[in-house]
């Protein structure tokens, strides 16, 4: 039961929701950069765990080729890498049935950055410290703690008989599982846009602090009023941005303290960088705010050269946004489970 990597693509790793509880010991949380797409892919593949936490393959920019070594049901979400199964186009955001020997081909994504492949039962590599996520810097988790290579064989979590049962449920009812273009509100997270003239930019909502007092009043206004462009120094660890410099009162350095995904550090140069899934455990630059978790997936799909803007919101507003987004996925999960029971 499993998948064989014929060509691994630009950067392909196994990820889940991340490694909780070890940051105090210096281990990054890791996990999928776009957790919304990861959860959605799991649901479409029939993984109905309440947290949608089964391990998936995260492809970056270009996916390569994968051979199925057993019958599987899989789904693809996130960036559209124009998937082909045995040379024939297949849909994104839908369960797809594959037979032993079938080959999935993923090309260069014309837009977006990361694609998520989920299979029924999940990618069943050993859990390390409670997670199957790949931590590239510490070389642990995932498949041998590294990016996938040609010839790697990945086990999946369901037997052939269990997969066949799910195939029988899906066949003939693909339209009830799939998310077509008319359901774009479900395909993507509910991150808003801000317009400057005719140009719309992703609007990242931010909870202010914890070192907001380190910035001048004009620096805070600069941060909120101007768009910032993703630089070429963007990866799973952080997105470094370019744009107007943000003024500080006495420099950017602080006594190192904890970092979370979404923390916005302002470096000594006065430019922001947003911490992503593989962020370090602590940092010594002042943090102007934290991007809310529901907007991180939208940032994770942007490429160098694209733009973002920022807006402060209150912690109470952030919690309300999270609950609304969580309900959206839970309602979809319930809908799929109702289809299963028909």
């Amino acid at each position: 039961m499993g998948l064989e990597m014929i060509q691994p693509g630009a950067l392909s790793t196994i990820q889940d929701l991340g490694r909780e509880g070890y940051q105090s010991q210096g281990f990054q949380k890791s996990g999928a950069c776009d957790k919304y797409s990861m959860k959605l892919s799991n649901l479409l593949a029939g993984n109905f765990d309440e947290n949608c936490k089964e391990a998936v393959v995260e492809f970056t920019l270009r996916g390569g080729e994968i051979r199925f070594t057993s019958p599987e049901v899989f789904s693809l979400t996130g960036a559209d890498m124009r998937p082909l199964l045995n040379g024939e186009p297949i849909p994104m955001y839908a369960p797809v049935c594959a037979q032993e020997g079938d080959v999935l081909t993923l090309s260069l994504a014309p837009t977006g950055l990361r694609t998520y492949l989920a299979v029924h039962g999940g990618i069943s590599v050993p859990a390390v410290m409670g997670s199957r996520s790949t931590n590239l810097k510490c070389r642990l988790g995932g498949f041998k703690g590294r990016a996938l290579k040609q010839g790697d064989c990945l086990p999946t979590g369901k037997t052939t008989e269990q997969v066949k049962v799910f195939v029988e449920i899906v066949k003939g009812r693909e339209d009830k599982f799939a998310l077509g273009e008319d359901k774009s509100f479900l395909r993507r997270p509910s991150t808003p846009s801000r317009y400057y003239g005719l140009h719309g930019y992703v609007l990242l909502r931010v909870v202010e602090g914890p070192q907001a007092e380190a910035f001048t009043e004009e620096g805070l206004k600069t941060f909120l009023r101007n768009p910032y462009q993703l630089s070429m120094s963007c990866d799973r660890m952080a997105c470094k941005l370019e744009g107007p410099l943000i003024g500080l009162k006495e420099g950017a350095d602080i006594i190192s303290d904890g970092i979370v995904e979404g923390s916005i550090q302002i470096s000594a140069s006065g430019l922001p960088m947003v911490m992503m899934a593989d962020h370090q455990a602590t940092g010594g630059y002042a943090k102007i705010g934290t991007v809310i978790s529901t907007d991180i997936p939208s940032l994770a799909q942007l490429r160098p050269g694209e733009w973002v803007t920022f807006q402060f919101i209150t912690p109470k507003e952030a919690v309300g946004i999270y609950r609304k987004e969580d309900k959206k996925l839970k309602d979809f999960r319930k809908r799929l489970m109702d289809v299963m029971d028909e």
Side-chain angles (χ1 to χ4, degrees), residues 117-321:
L117 167 68
V119 297
H120 189 54
I123 304 296
S124 189
V125 293
V128 178
M129 297 157 65
S131 172
R132 293 182 169 87
S133 283
T134 309
N135 184 325
L136 293 171
K137 293 188 179 297
C138 296
R139 297 192 63 81
L140 60 83
F143 190 87
K144 300 181 180 180
R146 58 167 171 75
L148 298 175
K149 297 180 180 180
Q150 183 178 6
D152 288 345
C153 293
L154 310 179
T156 53
K158 296 290 186 183
T159 67
T160 300
E161 289 304 315
Q162 289 172 317
V163 171
K164 285 180 179 178
V165 170
F166 188 59
V167 167
E168 291 304 313
I169 294 171
V170 171
K171 273 189 175 179
R173 292 191 286 180
E174 287 87 353
D175 59 324
K176 293 187 177 182
F177 283 87
L179 292 176
E181 292 287 353
D182 59 323
K183 296 185 177 65
S184 60
F185 71 98
L186 260 175
R187 285 186 168 206
R188 292 183 288 276
S190 304
T191 304
S193 297
R194 174 183 284 165
Y195 285 84
Y196 292 85
L198 298 177
H199 299 286
Y201 304 121
V202 169
L203 176 59
L204 300 176
R205 292 161 291 188
V206 175
V207 174
E208 189 176 1
Q211 285 96 31
E213 72 283 353
F215 302 91
T216 65
E217 184 177 347
E218 190 60 34
L220 292 171
K221 289 179 181 178
T222 298
F223 173 71
L224 296 174
R225 292 176 178 175
N226 294 280
Y228 284 85
Q229 188 176 35
L230 274 71
S231 73
M232 292 304 294
S233 297
C234 290
D235 54 23
R236 282 184 48 85
M237 181 178 178
C239 286
K240 295 184 178 180
L241 307 177
E242 298 174 343
L245 302 184
I246 297 168
L248 291 119
K249 294 177 181 177
E250 297 180 1
D253 292 339
I254 61 170
I255 296 173
S256 292
D257 63 2
I259 296 286
V260 298
E261 187 176 25
S263 290
I264 307 171
Q265 290 186 307
I266 307 300
S267 68
S269 67
L271 290 173
M273 47 187 171
V274 183
M275 299 297 106
M276 301 297 284
D278 282 350
H279 62 82
Q280 70 273 30
T282 62
Y285 289 131
K287 294 176 286 295
I288 198 169
T290 303
V291 178
I292 63 175
S293 61
T294 49
D295 286 350
I296 291 291
S298 295
L299 177 59
Q301 290 295 350
L302 297 181
R303 300 184 184 187
E306 296 188 284
W307 297 78
V308 296
T309 59
F310 298 100
Q311 173 185 306
F312 283 146
I313 62 172
T314 66
K316 182 178 179 180
E317 289 172 324
V319 170
I321 293 167

Side-chain angles (χ1 to χ4, degrees), residues 51-73:
N51 294 317
C52 307
K53 63 184 180 182
E54 296 292 351
V56 302
V57 182
E58 177 184 272
F59 300 99
T60 304
L61 192 62
R62 186 184 182 94
E65 290 187 337
I66 304 96
R67 179 183 291 111
F68 293 92
T69 59
S70 56
E72 302 288 350
V73 179

